[in-house]
Amino acid sequence: MEMISIWIAAILTLGIFSFLYKDNPLYKACEALFVGVSAAYWAIVFYFDNIYKKFYEGAVTADEPDYFLWIGAILGLLFLTRLIPKIGWVSRWPMALIVGATAGLWMVGYFVSNAMNQIGSTISGIIVYDTATGFVAWGETFGSLVILVGVLSGLVYFFFSKEHKGVFGATAKVGTWFLMVTFGASFGYTVMSRMSLLIGRVDFLLGDWLGILR
Amino acid sequence: MLSTIAMVLSLIVGLSLIYLLIRTIQGHPVERRIVFIYIGLAVVLPLLMNKTLPLPITKDVQKLYDQLEKLQPGSKVLCAFDYDPPSAPELQPMAVAFLKYAFKKDLKIIIMGLWPQGPQQAQQAIEEAMLDPIIAGKNLVQGEDWVNLGFQSGNEFVIQSMGTEFKRMFPKDNRHIAYGEIPLLQDVVNFSNVDFVINFSAGKPGTTEWVQFGVDRFGFEMVAGNTAVQAPMMYPYLRTGQLKGLLGGMSGAAEFEKILDEKGKASTFLLAQTFAHATVIIFIIIGNLAFFSSRKKKMAGTP
Amino acid sequence: MRNSFEKTRASRALLLVFVCLLLLLFVSFSTSVSAQADNDSDTPADSILALAAPAPVTDLKAFDTDNDHGHSITIEWTLSADDGAGANSVISYEIMRWEPFVRDSVMAARDSLGWVQARINKFEKEIPLAEESLDEVLTGQPVLDSLSFLVAYDEKDTSFVLTSEYVDKTLRDTIAVMQRDLPVLKVRAPLLPARFDSLLILLPKEYGKYPDAIIGRFDSVGTAVSGATSHENSSAVDSRSMGFIPDLIDYYYRIDVQTSNPNIRTSSETVGPVQSSGQWFNSGLVPVLIAILIFTILTMIFVQLAKKGMDLYVRPLAGIEAVDEAIGRATEMGRPILYVLGLGSAADIATIASFTILGRVAKKVAEYQTELNVPCYDPIVMAVAQEVVKSAFIDAGRPEAYKDDIVHFITNSQFAYVGAVNGIILRDLPATNVYMGKFFAESLILAETGAVAGSIQIAGTDEIPQIPFFFVACDYTLIGEELFAASAYLGREPQLLGSLKAQDYAKAVLLASAIIGIILINIFPETGETFKSWFEVID
């Protein structure tokens, strides 16, 4: 049984890889299969985890039913009113709840984690001393300077109310450089990630399928 | 034998890359399929070599390890598995290495996932960890030494709600045993009852959500293992101490395996990764050469 | 002319609001700082050796601190009669808290066991090992001192015996591990059910019965200088922090009046039980409240100004200017436009911004009678996008051209979705691809395929890791917040424009705060630290 599944996986992997040569029927078949299977998978996950496990077991069969879940279920059902054009507008209520609740939750989260704590951490001594020797740690000092300039010029770049001209423009330009360096670094990391995916697949093909690797 | 052939082939591939470089300078650009072949070879050949690379431990991994070392036997660790099979090559080795370390150290593991396949990945990682003779000898019991609470939908809302009570989000574990009947969870009400949190994350919801809705609200200590794509975004949190340590991508996983002394997949994959990176770098150079030489030609062509 | 006059007036008013708020902040800092300083200077000079015991404090009250995240108890009292009056012998008050003994002991025991375990591990490596030296380790004083409460060493049997029923399961587990590794250690006492599992965090109340349980003691948890009449006994939320105070545990307090002679002190009566708990409003988060209020007020002001028709300047963005051009190109070529909303949910800001841009694109498409294709990843996003496109077609006066399958669902699986969209790109060869919203690993795959298909590509996302890929493969890229700015710029709706402006000014405030903070901390470190603490909010 496992053998069959490995073979299916291997053929599908090769089918997707065949796109590297050019678009072909095998690739199309694999793609269609993938879309279909994943759609079905998610349908099952949503049904089983949400409707069955969370709602049915939590609000219907539980010893201490959580009645709040009924409110959620009713709001969820309201989504279906879209199917009836006349009362389709009702589906905006649950939508409003989702958007509103998430925005509220994230607002505080963003403010604290991404704005205030980050500014707090930017506020620090520019000259860093080595705790062991008491001398200026040049490397760290340079690092703290780079962070400082990066944060400030980056913020200036994303200021939309003023045209990028003069000193302001120059600072924004510095901000752009910082952004580019960031993108470069993140590009490198992403290449690493993609290679890891490829290595994972090749390991599967050579190891699990062909048995060449131990 | 295979290993020797692979090494010889790698050498040939390397030399042919130099040839490509020269051809590009002469004005014959490479076709994209050639690039794919080279990347393919750069991945396949090193895997056959069966060699590992010497690897220095970076500061972030060391920090993460120091945090883990502080945990006493019996400490409860919440492990959030927020990834799925596509990200497994990077994150699974981290998870396996961590679980091996944790079981050997007698840490108590509480597994959960904000991604549906996360807890399944965890299950696989546990099965792999259990193959270790030392861990197998411990006769660990599910429910007492570790528990898999499964997946819960709701993304960051799950974290928020867990701040009050885990039980509300996870009334049963993945074996359908009620929360209250699991010995390990007897006194675990919310985050204040776990000693540490570790998150393996491949996207959203993931480490960002855990920091913003978990660490910043409920004040627990957390480290994370991330895919390389995500890792750069986590550095600001690392700097402020919102994250106590970070493993980034395959190299992070390999370092983690090294520092824990648990040789695993990441260590063997790293050579392939290095070769692939070198190839990418060479092609970036070739690509730029081609770009500038074609521009030069165009400029020369226009009066 | 009038417009620009109003503009200056508005910005002046705004500036005034800022200055006032900043002043307010500073005043509150300086008052709190100076209040502390006053307290410090109150420390009395060494008084004469008091022979008589000072009068105890009276009216002692202990209660849960109001408006906090829990983990804090406030103690108030009336001064001792000998404080600043009478014998004037009081130099300080020591706050004593009674708490269950087991908590500290188990914590210590756990540490010790960790230490023992480490030693065992070490010795295991250094085989052969003389059993005597191991015994020495196990019977060594540092271990036994902290363990004595829980474990006794049986000399005859050379084994450890659990003396107390209060054995943490964790501790038992640890001992069991040690036992297996080390035959010397035998646990003989009957083990009770695992009631103790999480001693360190949630002490069952029955262990905290005051004062008849033998397992408790008074511990000093702080001192207050003479003249002080209150003290806050609080801890961080982290259960591993120093002096952690678990919520919902009974505590008892008393105050010891101290004189210059350490042996002469008077204890007050004990008050309690009192428990700490968190409230709905946590005053520790006031800085966040202030920050959000400032931001909200700014947003409201700017939205109002925008509604009144004030011209709010937003610098032009190249990517957005290109959208119209690209739609025109698609019309000329008679090829469709592909609009991808990304993988975000309907609540993601990037997706919301993308909806506005989609509205604009759809309107143009309806006007030019071009074909539009919007494949969706998230069903809710699809529902909203349908709504958006539909109203754009109505706005353009061509409701009959709207078809429900312009916006359609594909799948909720990342790479399957990408596969399908790739297929669409390669088969339909759209003239223009617009990628706006949240993108993850699929960004390059999409943009690369689009480039191969020869489409003009415009991308925008707030997912920083994906931007480099869009940069290399697309013609125009909106970086991060530019996406939100674009939606405001295009939509020209007062709400969007107003909030964009408010964001800009909020950024300016943050920028100014960072600069002020950096200057302060480098020149006046103390004030700087206080300033900094306002931004480092961890509940």
Side-chain angles (χ1 to χ4, degrees), chain B residues 172-196:
Chain B
K172 287 174 181 172
D173 77 351
N174 68 342
R175 301 166 300 164
H176 280 261
I177 295 178
Y179 190 97
E181 287 162 20
I182 300 169
L184 175 58
L185 302 173
Q186 278 313 301
D187 288 312
V188 178
V189 178
N190 56 33
F191 290 121
S192 54
N193 311 79
V194 294
D195 298 290
F196 204 64

PDB file of all heavy atoms in Angstrom, chain B residues 172-196:
ATOM      1  N   LYS B 172     -10.830  18.465  23.452  1.00  0.00           N
ATOM      2  CA  LYS B 172     -10.353  17.080  23.400  1.00  0.00           C
ATOM      3  C   LYS B 172      -9.013  17.031  22.699  1.00  0.00           C
ATOM      4  O   LYS B 172      -8.715  17.920  21.887  1.00  0.00           O
ATOM      5  CB  LYS B 172     -11.337  16.223  22.599  1.00  0.00           C
ATOM      6  CG  LYS B 172     -12.615  15.947  23.340  1.00  0.00           C
ATOM      7  CD  LYS B 172     -13.590  15.234  22.459  1.00  0.00           C
ATOM      8  CE  LYS B 172     -14.879  14.991  23.219  1.00  0.00           C
ATOM      9  NZ  LYS B 172     -15.922  14.476  22.372  1.00  0.00           N
ATOM     10  N   ASP B 173      -8.243  15.997  22.963  1.00  0.00           N
ATOM     11  CA  ASP B 173      -6.983  15.875  22.224  1.00  0.00           C
ATOM     12  C   ASP B 173      -7.238  15.079  20.947  1.00  0.00           C
ATOM     13  O   ASP B 173      -8.379  14.759  20.624  1.00  0.00           O
ATOM     14  CB  ASP B 173      -5.881  15.269  23.101  1.00  0.00           C
ATOM     15  CG  ASP B 173      -6.010  13.766  23.272  1.00  0.00           C
ATOM     16  OD1 ASP B 173      -7.046  13.215  22.859  1.00  0.00           O
ATOM     17  OD2 ASP B 173      -5.092  13.147  23.828  1.00  0.00           O
ATOM     18  N   ASN B 174      -6.174  14.753  20.218  1.00  0.00           N
ATOM     19  CA  ASN B 174      -6.394  14.118  18.918  1.00  0.00           C
ATOM     20  C   ASN B 174      -6.858  12.669  19.031  1.00  0.00           C
ATOM     21  O   ASN B 174      -7.202  12.049  18.037  1.00  0.00           O
ATOM     22  CB  ASN B 174      -5.138  14.237  18.030  1.00  0.00           C
ATOM     23  CG  ASN B 174      -3.983  13.427  18.563  1.00  0.00           C
ATOM     24  OD1 ASN B 174      -3.976  13.050  19.738  1.00  0.00           O
ATOM     25  ND2 ASN B 174      -3.002  13.170  17.726  1.00  0.00           N
ATOM     26  N   ARG B 175      -6.840  12.145  20.253  1.00  0.00           N
ATOM     27  CA  ARG B 175      -7.385  10.780  20.416  1.00  0.00           C
ATOM     28  C   ARG B 175      -8.813  10.842  20.944  1.00  0.00           C
ATOM     29  O   ARG B 175      -9.365   9.847  21.381  1.00  0.00           O
ATOM     30  CB  ARG B 175      -6.522   9.982  21.392  1.00  0.00           C
ATOM     31  CG  ARG B 175      -5.074   9.833  20.982  1.00  0.00           C
ATOM     32  CD  ARG B 175      -4.241   9.339  22.150  1.00  0.00           C
ATOM     33  NE  ARG B 175      -4.303  10.288  23.264  1.00  0.00           N
ATOM     34  CZ  ARG B 175      -3.938  10.002  24.505  1.00  0.00           C
ATOM     35  NH1 ARG B 175      -3.505   8.801  24.801  1.00  0.00           N
ATOM     36  NH2 ARG B 175      -4.019  10.917  25.444  1.00  0.00           N
ATOM     37  N   HIS B 176      -9.349  12.056  21.007  1.00  0.00           N
ATOM     38  CA  HIS B 176     -10.711  12.271  21.505  1.00  0.00           C
ATOM     39  C   HIS B 176     -10.838  12.026  22.994  1.00  0.00           C
ATOM     40  O   HIS B 176     -11.889  11.598  23.472  1.00  0.00           O
ATOM     41  CB  HIS B 176     -11.736  11.443  20.719  1.00  0.00           C
ATOM     42  CG  HIS B 176     -12.083  12.105  19.431  1.00  0.00           C
ATOM     43  ND1 HIS B 176     -13.208  12.851  19.264  1.00  0.00           N
ATOM     44  CD2 HIS B 176     -11.419  12.160  18.262  1.00  0.00           C
ATOM     45  CE1 HIS B 176     -13.223  13.340  18.046  1.00  0.00           C
ATOM     46  NE2 HIS B 176     -12.139  12.938  17.410  1.00  0.00           N
ATOM     47  N   ILE B 177      -9.777  12.264  23.716  1.00  0.00           N
ATOM     48  CA  ILE B 177      -9.855  12.158  25.172  1.00  0.00           C
ATOM     49  C   ILE B 177     -10.085  13.571  25.706  1.00  0.00           C
ATOM     50  O   ILE B 177      -9.432  14.518  25.266  1.00  0.00           O
ATOM     51  CB  ILE B 177      -8.559  11.558  25.743  1.00  0.00           C
ATOM     52  CG1 ILE B 177      -8.447  10.118  25.243  1.00  0.00           C
ATOM     53  CG2 ILE B 177      -8.549  11.618  27.265  1.00  0.00           C
ATOM     54  CD1 ILE B 177      -7.211   9.403  25.661  1.00  0.00           C
ATOM     55  N   ALA B 178     -11.029  13.691  26.619  1.00  0.00           N
ATOM     56  CA  ALA B 178     -11.389  15.015  27.115  1.00  0.00           C
ATOM     57  C   ALA B 178     -10.204  15.663  27.814  1.00  0.00           C
ATOM     58  O   ALA B 178      -9.402  14.988  28.468  1.00  0.00           O
ATOM     59  CB  ALA B 178     -12.562  14.910  28.073  1.00  0.00           C
ATOM     60  N   TYR B 179     -10.105  16.963  27.668  1.00  0.00           N
ATOM     61  CA  TYR B 179      -8.988  17.735  28.219  1.00  0.00           C
ATOM     62  C   TYR B 179      -8.774  17.422  29.701  1.00  0.00           C
ATOM     63  O   TYR B 179      -7.669  17.160  30.143  1.00  0.00           O
ATOM     64  CB  TYR B 179      -9.292  19.224  28.037  1.00  0.00           C
ATOM     65  CG  TYR B 179      -8.144  20.143  28.334  1.00  0.00           C
ATOM     66  CD1 TYR B 179      -7.345  20.627  27.310  1.00  0.00           C
ATOM     67  CD2 TYR B 179      -7.863  20.549  29.633  1.00  0.00           C
ATOM     68  CE1 TYR B 179      -6.297  21.486  27.576  1.00  0.00           C
ATOM     69  CE2 TYR B 179      -6.815  21.407  29.899  1.00  0.00           C
ATOM     70  CZ  TYR B 179      -6.033  21.870  28.869  1.00  0.00           C
ATOM     71  OH  TYR B 179      -4.984  22.725  29.137  1.00  0.00           O
ATOM     72  N   GLY B 180      -9.881  17.411  30.450  1.00  0.00           N
ATOM     73  CA  GLY B 180      -9.795  17.210  31.898  1.00  0.00           C
ATOM     74  C   GLY B 180      -9.296  15.837  32.298  1.00  0.00           C
ATOM     75  O   GLY B 180      -8.892  15.618  33.435  1.00  0.00           O
ATOM     76  N   GLU B 181      -9.350  14.900  31.374  1.00  0.00           N
ATOM     77  CA  GLU B 181      -8.936  13.535  31.728  1.00  0.00           C
ATOM     78  C   GLU B 181      -7.494  13.244  31.342  1.00  0.00           C
ATOM     79  O   GLU B 181      -7.018  12.124  31.495  1.00  0.00           O
ATOM     80  CB  GLU B 181      -9.855  12.522  31.022  1.00  0.00           C
ATOM     81  CG  GLU B 181     -11.230  12.484  31.660  1.00  0.00           C
ATOM     82  CD  GLU B 181     -12.258  11.843  30.751  1.00  0.00           C
ATOM     83  OE1 GLU B 181     -11.851  11.106  29.830  1.00  0.00           O
ATOM     84  OE2 GLU B 181     -13.452  12.103  30.966  1.00  0.00           O
ATOM     85  N   ILE B 182      -6.809  14.231  30.813  1.00  0.00           N
ATOM     86  CA  ILE B 182      -5.423  14.003  30.399  1.00  0.00           C
ATOM     87  C   ILE B 182      -4.511  14.383  31.573  1.00  0.00           C
ATOM     88  O   ILE B 182      -4.492  15.539  32.001  1.00  0.00           O
ATOM     89  CB  ILE B 182      -5.096  14.842  29.152  1.00  0.00           C
ATOM     90  CG1 ILE B 182      -6.038  14.435  28.010  1.00  0.00           C
ATOM     91  CG2 ILE B 182      -3.644  14.665  28.740  1.00  0.00           C
ATOM     92  CD1 ILE B 182      -6.018  15.348  26.823  1.00  0.00           C
ATOM     93  N   PRO B 183      -3.772  13.425  32.105  1.00  0.00           N
ATOM     94  CA  PRO B 183      -2.964  13.711  33.303  1.00  0.00           C
ATOM     95  C   PRO B 183      -2.023  14.897  33.127  1.00  0.00           C
ATOM     96  O   PRO B 183      -1.912  15.744  34.013  1.00  0.00           O
ATOM     97  CB  PRO B 183      -2.165  12.426  33.508  1.00  0.00           C
ATOM     98  CG  PRO B 183      -2.895  11.365  32.770  1.00  0.00           C
ATOM     99  CD  PRO B 183      -3.652  12.021  31.667  1.00  0.00           C
ATOM    100  N   LEU B 184      -1.388  14.975  31.962  1.00  0.00           N
ATOM    101  CA  LEU B 184      -0.406  16.043  31.749  1.00  0.00           C
ATOM    102  C   LEU B 184      -1.039  17.424  31.856  1.00  0.00           C
ATOM    103  O   LEU B 184      -0.395  18.401  32.224  1.00  0.00           O
ATOM    104  CB  LEU B 184       0.233  15.849  30.366  1.00  0.00           C
ATOM    105  CG  LEU B 184       1.212  16.916  29.868  1.00  0.00           C
ATOM    106  CD1 LEU B 184       2.361  17.080  30.824  1.00  0.00           C
ATOM    107  CD2 LEU B 184       1.746  16.549  28.501  1.00  0.00           C
ATOM    108  N   LEU B 185      -2.346  17.504  31.541  1.00  0.00           N
ATOM    109  CA  LEU B 185      -2.980  18.821  31.475  1.00  0.00           C
ATOM    110  C   LEU B 185      -3.761  19.147  32.736  1.00  0.00           C
ATOM    111  O   LEU B 185      -4.494  20.132  32.771  1.00  0.00           O
ATOM    112  CB  LEU B 185      -3.915  18.870  30.255  1.00  0.00           C
ATOM    113  CG  LEU B 185      -3.230  18.598  28.916  1.00  0.00           C
ATOM    114  CD1 LEU B 185      -4.252  18.506  27.810  1.00  0.00           C
ATOM    115  CD2 LEU B 185      -2.226  19.694  28.597  1.00  0.00           C
ATOM    116  N   GLN B 186      -3.596  18.301  33.752  1.00  0.00           N
ATOM    117  CA  GLN B 186      -4.386  18.495  34.968  1.00  0.00           C
ATOM    118  C   GLN B 186      -4.390  19.927  35.476  1.00  0.00           C
ATOM    119  O   GLN B 186      -5.425  20.468  35.798  1.00  0.00           O
ATOM    120  CB  GLN B 186      -3.875  17.561  36.079  1.00  0.00           C
ATOM    121  CG  GLN B 186      -4.430  16.161  35.976  1.00  0.00           C
ATOM    122  CD  GLN B 186      -5.932  16.129  35.739  1.00  0.00           C
ATOM    123  OE1 GLN B 186      -6.686  16.647  36.543  1.00  0.00           O
ATOM    124  NE2 GLN B 186      -6.358  15.552  34.631  1.00  0.00           N
ATOM    125  N   ASP B 187      -3.235  20.538  35.546  1.00  0.00           N
ATOM    126  CA  ASP B 187      -3.188  21.891  36.093  1.00  0.00           C
ATOM    127  C   ASP B 187      -2.808  22.923  35.058  1.00  0.00           C
ATOM    128  O   ASP B 187      -2.355  24.008  35.381  1.00  0.00           O
ATOM    129  CB  ASP B 187      -2.223  21.945  37.277  1.00  0.00           C
ATOM    130  CG  ASP B 187      -2.818  21.234  38.471  1.00  0.00           C
ATOM    131  OD1 ASP B 187      -3.987  21.502  38.781  1.00  0.00           O
ATOM    132  OD2 ASP B 187      -2.125  20.387  39.057  1.00  0.00           O
ATOM    133  N   VAL B 188      -2.976  22.553  33.801  1.00  0.00           N
ATOM    134  CA  VAL B 188      -2.659  23.525  32.763  1.00  0.00           C
ATOM    135  C   VAL B 188      -3.956  24.237  32.385  1.00  0.00           C
ATOM    136  O   VAL B 188      -4.834  23.663  31.752  1.00  0.00           O
ATOM    137  CB  VAL B 188      -2.036  22.845  31.532  1.00  0.00           C
ATOM    138  CG1 VAL B 188      -1.748  23.870  30.447  1.00  0.00           C
ATOM    139  CG2 VAL B 188      -0.753  22.138  31.922  1.00  0.00           C
ATOM    140  N   VAL B 189      -4.074  25.461  32.860  1.00  0.00           N
ATOM    141  CA  VAL B 189      -5.282  26.226  32.548  1.00  0.00           C
ATOM    142  C   VAL B 189      -5.023  27.115  31.342  1.00  0.00           C
ATOM    143  O   VAL B 189      -5.749  27.085  30.362  1.00  0.00           O
ATOM    144  CB  VAL B 189      -5.709  27.086  33.757  1.00  0.00           C
ATOM    145  CG1 VAL B 189      -6.939  27.911  33.407  1.00  0.00           C
ATOM    146  CG2 VAL B 189      -5.987  26.202  34.946  1.00  0.00           C
ATOM    147  N   ASN B 190      -3.960  27.879  31.412  1.00  0.00           N
ATOM    148  CA  ASN B 190      -3.640  28.769  30.290  1.00  0.00           C
ATOM    149  C   ASN B 190      -2.128  28.953  30.199  1.00  0.00           C
ATOM    150  O   ASN B 190      -1.378  28.172  30.777  1.00  0.00           O
ATOM    151  CB  ASN B 190      -4.371  30.107  30.425  1.00  0.00           C
ATOM    152  CG  ASN B 190      -4.073  30.780  31.752  1.00  0.00           C
ATOM    153  OD1 ASN B 190      -2.966  30.643  32.281  1.00  0.00           O
ATOM    154  ND2 ASN B 190      -5.041  31.476  32.293  1.00  0.00           N
ATOM    155  N   PHE B 191      -1.706  29.995  29.489  1.00  0.00           N
ATOM    156  CA  PHE B 191      -0.274  30.154  29.243  1.00  0.00           C
ATOM    157  C   PHE B 191       0.553  30.264  30.522  1.00  0.00           C
ATOM    158  O   PHE B 191       1.729  29.939  30.517  1.00  0.00           O
ATOM    159  CB  PHE B 191      -0.029  31.400  28.391  1.00  0.00           C
ATOM    160  CG  PHE B 191      -0.496  31.256  26.978  1.00  0.00           C
ATOM    161  CD1 PHE B 191      -1.438  32.114  26.446  1.00  0.00           C
ATOM    162  CD2 PHE B 191      -0.001  30.241  26.173  1.00  0.00           C
ATOM    163  CE1 PHE B 191      -1.871  31.978  25.132  1.00  0.00           C
ATOM    164  CE2 PHE B 191      -0.430  30.093  24.866  1.00  0.00           C
ATOM    165  CZ  PHE B 191      -1.370  30.970  24.349  1.00  0.00           C
ATOM    166  N   SER B 192      -0.078  30.747  31.599  1.00  0.00           N
ATOM    167  CA  SER B 192       0.742  30.916  32.792  1.00  0.00           C
ATOM    168  C   SER B 192       1.153  29.568  33.382  1.00  0.00           C
ATOM    169  O   SER B 192       1.987  29.514  34.264  1.00  0.00           O
ATOM    170  CB  SER B 192       0.027  31.784  33.830  1.00  0.00           C
ATOM    171  OG  SER B 192      -1.230  31.248  34.092  1.00  0.00           O
ATOM    172  N   ASN B 193       0.560  28.484  32.897  1.00  0.00           N
ATOM    173  CA  ASN B 193       0.926  27.175  33.433  1.00  0.00           C
ATOM    174  C   ASN B 193       1.894  26.402  32.556  1.00  0.00           C
ATOM    175  O   ASN B 193       2.188  25.256  32.828  1.00  0.00           O
ATOM    176  CB  ASN B 193      -0.315  26.314  33.635  1.00  0.00           C
ATOM    177  CG  ASN B 193      -1.380  27.065  34.370  1.00  0.00           C
ATOM    178  OD1 ASN B 193      -2.071  27.866  33.780  1.00  0.00           O
ATOM    179  ND2 ASN B 193      -1.487  26.842  35.647  1.00  0.00           N
ATOM    180  N   VAL B 194       2.326  27.020  31.470  1.00  0.00           N
ATOM    181  CA  VAL B 194       3.374  26.347  30.703  1.00  0.00           C
ATOM    182  C   VAL B 194       4.667  27.125  30.903  1.00  0.00           C
ATOM    183  O   VAL B 194       4.642  28.330  31.125  1.00  0.00           O
ATOM    184  CB  VAL B 194       3.041  26.220  29.193  1.00  0.00           C
ATOM    185  CG1 VAL B 194       1.857  25.321  28.965  1.00  0.00           C
ATOM    186  CG2 VAL B 194       2.828  27.561  28.561  1.00  0.00           C
ATOM    187  N   ASP B 195       5.768  26.382  30.865  1.00  0.00           N
ATOM    188  CA  ASP B 195       7.036  27.030  31.172  1.00  0.00           C
ATOM    189  C   ASP B 195       7.671  27.686  29.965  1.00  0.00           C
ATOM    190  O   ASP B 195       8.513  28.559  30.098  1.00  0.00           O
ATOM    191  CB  ASP B 195       8.012  25.996  31.755  1.00  0.00           C
ATOM    192  CG  ASP B 195       7.481  25.428  33.046  1.00  0.00           C
ATOM    193  OD1 ASP B 195       7.457  26.161  34.033  1.00  0.00           O
ATOM    194  OD2 ASP B 195       7.062  24.253  33.061  1.00  0.00           O
ATOM    195  N   PHE B 196       7.274  27.235  28.787  1.00  0.00           N
ATOM    196  CA  PHE B 196       7.968  27.716  27.607  1.00  0.00           C
ATOM    197  C   PHE B 196       7.103  27.447  26.383  1.00  0.00           C
ATOM    198  O   PHE B 196       6.280  26.540  26.384  1.00  0.00           O
ATOM    199  CB  PHE B 196       9.283  26.953  27.471  1.00  0.00           C
ATOM    200  CG  PHE B 196      10.330  27.680  26.691  1.00  0.00           C
ATOM    201  CD1 PHE B 196      10.855  28.868  27.158  1.00  0.00           C
ATOM    202  CD2 PHE B 196      10.794  27.176  25.488  1.00  0.00           C
ATOM    203  CE1 PHE B 196      11.820  29.545  26.443  1.00  0.00           C
ATOM    204  CE2 PHE B 196      11.762  27.839  24.767  1.00  0.00           C
ATOM    205  CZ  PHE B 196      12.279  29.033  25.248  1.00  0.00           C
TER     206      PHE B 196
END
